[in-house]
Amino acid sequence: MYVCLCKGVSDRQIRQSVDDGARSWRQIQNETGCATQCGKCACVGKQIMRDAVREAMVADVESLAYAV
Ligand code: FES
């Protein structure tokens, strides 16, 4: 779904940025342009980023647990 109508950014693009290594809202903004115009999408965009980062961190911990 589209999160940012001004810049045409979807939740999938935000998740992809996190998968590619972005871990801060600033990085997401630089890579996608989300919330760089009117800013009304910032809360939703940040929440999607937080969820994606949490999922990525859990996956990292799980992969470490299997490595031990
Ligand atoms: Fe995202 Fe306007 S809706 S900057």
Side-chain angles (χ1 to χ4, degrees):
M1 85 179 165
Y2 279 103
V3 174
C4 178
L5 297 180
C6 292
K7 296 293 183 172
V9 179
S10 67
D11 61 326
R12 185 174 291 188
Q13 287 172 278
I14 294 172
R15 292 178 200 283
Q16 185 62 52
S17 288
V18 171
D19 287 346
D20 292 342
R23 291 293 181 270
S24 72
W25 179 238
R26 183 73 63 192
Q27 287 175 307
I28 297 292
Q29 284 186 298
N30 288 339
E31 290 183 15
T32 67
C34 190
T36 58
Q37 197 162 323
C38 76
K40 290 182 178 175
C41 59
C43 285
V44 174
K46 286 178 184 178
Q47 190 58 53
I48 291 168
M49 182 202 74
R50 286 189 201 108
D51 291 346
V53 168
R54 187 177 308 117
E55 289 167 13
M57 292 176 77
V58 167
D60 286 348
V61 168
E62 286 177 352
S63 68
L64 286 173
Y66 287 118
V68 174

